[in-house]
Amino acid sequence: MQDYVEQIDINQYLPLIIDVGINVLLAALILIVGLYIANKVSSIINKIGERYDKLDNTLFRFLGSVAKYIILAFVAIAVLNRFGVQTASIVALLGAAGLAVGLALQGTLSNLAAGVMLLLFRPYKVGDFISAADRFGNVQEIDLFTTILKTFDNQHIIVPNSQIWGAQIVNHSFHDVRGVDMHFGVAYKENTDEVRKVIDAVLAAHPHILKDPAPFVEVETLNDSSVDFLIRPFCHGEHYFGILYSIPEQIKKALDEAGIEIPFPHRKLIIEKEQ
């Protein structure tokens, strides 16, 4: 009689045991497949960034991680559903928590969004000289939140990406050949053709100034006390600053040797003696 009662109890719970076992197996299968898919998708996205030189690996590593954790989140929800857990409330709770975190980290998320745009569109890259966010320097590093610049006086500047993306960006290294604009004024009494010859000679003697395109030397403005020349030699980008800071002195010396006056502001004082 006791054996019969025990057999009845086992038969009563057998469907539940089978159902739980099936759910456990299915949950384990979903988890294994989900982990495989998440890792595979992350790996594919990472390889896209590694395959093409023009794409930034940092961005694709980030996108790969985001894709992986999104897939794992859906996998976790599917596993909980297999055990009859109501996930609607959990999703709502996570959404509310995400909204609260997003509001608390507005600045950080703004930098993140700007970093994604910078890495995606790449207006500059590591090694470029840029002017952005009222800063000028050589780009040392670009990540999802900040851009690190090194100035000529070896300052280490960390600029939030949102300040860069939301303003004008000047990439001084984008083009291989650059024009170097300089201005010089000479006295009205001087012969402009002679002045041009002196300046052309200085530019022609410089080893880093290109012959093609030819330097541009022309009168730009007739000021109150001077005739102003615009001088624009062309060079490769790596020689830009060397020319910008060396040519003015060389032209000044050449004009002095040629006896050409470089005017400076004069003030004439007239004193009248009262009778």
Side-chain angles (χ1 to χ4, degrees), residues 68-266:
K68 177 180 179 179
Y69 288 115
I70 288 175
I71 294 173
L72 291 178
F74 282 106
V75 168
I77 292 172
V79 169
L80 291 175
N81 277 330
R82 291 307 310 172
F83 293 103
V85 177
Q86 296 297 323
T87 57
S89 58
I90 297 176
V91 172
L93 181 62
L94 291 175
L99 178 61
V101 171
L103 292 174
L105 301 175
Q106 289 184 51
T108 302
L109 294 178
S110 176
N111 289 326
L112 174 61
V116 171
M117 299 301 288
L118 289 173
L119 293 172
L120 185 62
F121 291 101
R122 300 192 72 182
Y124 55 84
K125 62 184 183 299
V126 172
D128 287 350
F129 284 93
I130 67 168
S131 297
D134 296 326
R135 298 289 185 178
F136 174 79
N138 181 261
V139 179
Q140 300 293 295
E141 184 180 342
I142 310 168
D143 59 33
L144 289 169
F145 297 96
T146 61
T147 294
I148 299 175
L149 302 178
K150 179 182 179 182
T151 63
F152 285 115
D153 55 350
N154 282 335
Q155 291 187 31
H156 187 77
I157 302 177
I158 302 174
V159 185
N161 285 333
S162 59
Q163 294 183 14
I164 295 177
W165 182 252
Q168 176 179 281
I169 303 172
V170 180
N171 188 341
H172 298 277
S173 304
F174 186 83
H175 295 288
D176 181 53
V177 175
R178 292 202 55 196
V180 187
D181 281 8
M182 293 171 281
H183 299 83
F184 283 90
V186 298
Y188 267 92
K189 68 178 183 177
E190 305 297 345
N191 187 312
T192 55
D193 292 331
E194 293 299 322
V195 173
R196 189 179 290 106
K197 287 180 182 178
V198 171
I199 295 174
D200 284 340
V202 172
L203 300 180
H206 200 287
H208 295 146
I209 291 179
L210 302 177
K211 302 297 186 291
D212 185 23
F216 179 87
V217 181
E218 295 295 341
V219 174
E220 180 184 33
T221 308
L222 300 177
N223 269 330
D224 294 339
S225 60
S226 65
V227 178
D228 292 345
F229 279 79
L230 170 62
I231 303 168
R232 181 184 293 132
F234 291 89
C235 66
H236 292 291
E238 61 267 26
H239 302 305
Y240 176 88
F241 293 102
I243 291 173
L244 179 64
Y245 296 118
S246 66
I247 288 295
E249 181 180 0
Q250 295 177 22
I251 292 179
K252 200 272 183 187
K253 289 180 179 179
L255 292 176
D256 289 342
E257 290 176 2
I260 296 173
E261 180 184 352
I262 300 175
F264 55 90
H266 291 75

